[in-house]
Amino acid sequence: MDISQDYFSCYGLSCDFAVDSVALRQSHRQLQQQHHPDRFVSKSDSDQRRAVQITAYLNQAYATLSEPLKRGIYLLQLQGMDPLAPTNTQMPMDFLLQQIELRESLEEMSQAQDPETQMDSMSSRLQHQASQLESEFAQAYGSSNFEIAETSVRKLQFIVKLQQQLDALEGALLD
Amino acid sequence: MAYSEQVLDHYENPRNVGKMDEADAHVGTGMVGAPACGDVMRLQIKVNDDGVIEDAKFKTYGCGSAIASSSLVTEWMKGMTLDQAGEIRNSNISEELALPPVKIHCSVLAEDAIKAAIHNYKSKQ
């Protein structure tokens, strides 16, 4: 197996944001079994090393393609772009304002009388925004509007981060 | 990864956290975000008629290094002219805070927030 090829090709998928998750999982399992290091214990050192390399590659590939955010970033990287470049801090103003508001309310939630309802409503708001951004990305990428796609995936990164913080707060409060 | 003492000091006792009236003609507001880590920073300056920064406030939602970077620059900027503040570079910030290479982007964020706040102030004049 060629581990210099892109992740989509290794699973026989087309380079697209829409991914058939069932096909991806099946293809991943099949390749994983085929190249599992356990099958190479009696083989040569170089065969064993190769099996380990391929397994690492497959794990990375699957982790990247199975998550919408990582998949979007990877698709742009295949176009030679770097959507998470640390030197690029410009985001649409209205989006940043909204982000600050959301983080402020997240901060206040821990002291709220009824944090569960508030957490649920923020969570569904974030999920809604995430799925909107994902379809925005898919459409832009599909029509080669890579700059619009880049903005969508950059926004998605903030939403995912916020969702993680919300999950962490939920865990802490429900303990 | 261990934070430097300077970062911990600003993180535990952040200077100048707060908000100013965005509509005030003397106030410049800069907002930036770092997708690499999902950090958001708001930096505000209050400029007097001589073009000197009288006050600075920030609010940062992010890691310790991002909070320390913005806290540090609000201290630095007070008493500076806009031109002087515009010369603050991320390398000054990361040196002062002894930021490790993986956290340099936090100082980039603070530098860009200063520029954005100055730009916003100038656009109001």
Side-chain angles (χ1 to χ4, degrees), chain B residues 1-113:
Chain B
M1 180 190 53
Y3 282 126
S4 69
E5 265 176 50
Q6 297 92 313
V7 170
L8 282 175
D9 179 35
H10 277 278
Y11 179 64
E12 283 164 4
N13 312 293
R15 278 62 137 185
N16 310 308
V17 174
K19 193 180 181 185
M20 296 180 197
D21 180 11
E22 276 170 51
D24 186 335
H26 288 97
V27 171
T29 303
M31 275 197 295
V32 288
C37 48
D39 290 356
V40 189
M41 188 179 284
R42 181 185 63 218
L43 187 76
Q44 293 182 298
I45 50 173
K46 187 167 197 168
V47 185
N48 69 16
D49 295 331
D50 302 325
V52 173
I53 298 170
E54 275 186 341
D55 198 9
K57 297 266 184 230
F58 83 95
K59 184 72 204 183
T60 294
Y61 292 94
C63 67
S65 302
I67 291 170
S69 297
S70 36
S71 171
L72 176 70
V73 297
T74 54
E75 278 202 317
W76 276 354
M77 282 193 297
K78 284 190 204 180
M80 280 187 175
T81 62
L82 287 177
D83 287 345
Q84 286 168 333
E87 279 166 18
I88 296 175
R89 290 290 165 267
N90 80 289
S91 53
N92 307 130
I93 303 165
S94 55
E95 251 169 58
E96 176 71 20
L97 295 173
L99 294 181
V102 292
K103 289 291 177 183
I104 298 298
H105 68 269
C106 298
S107 61
V108 173
L109 198 60
E111 178 189 326
D112 288 355

Side-chain angles (χ1 to χ4, degrees), chain A residues 6-8 21 30 42 57 65 67-68 88-89 92-93 96 99 102 104 110 122 134 141 160 164 167 170:
Chain A
D6 72 78
Y7 297 155
F8 291 94
S21 57
Q30 202 184 347
S42 57
Y57 168 87
L65 298 195
E67 258 185 60
N88 184 354
T89 62
M93 218 34 143
L96 287 175
Q99 277 293 306
L102 283 167
E104 270 165 359
S110 46
M122 185 183 281
E134 283 167 26
Y141 194 89
V160 167
Q164 286 166 353
D167 292 345
E170 209 160 356

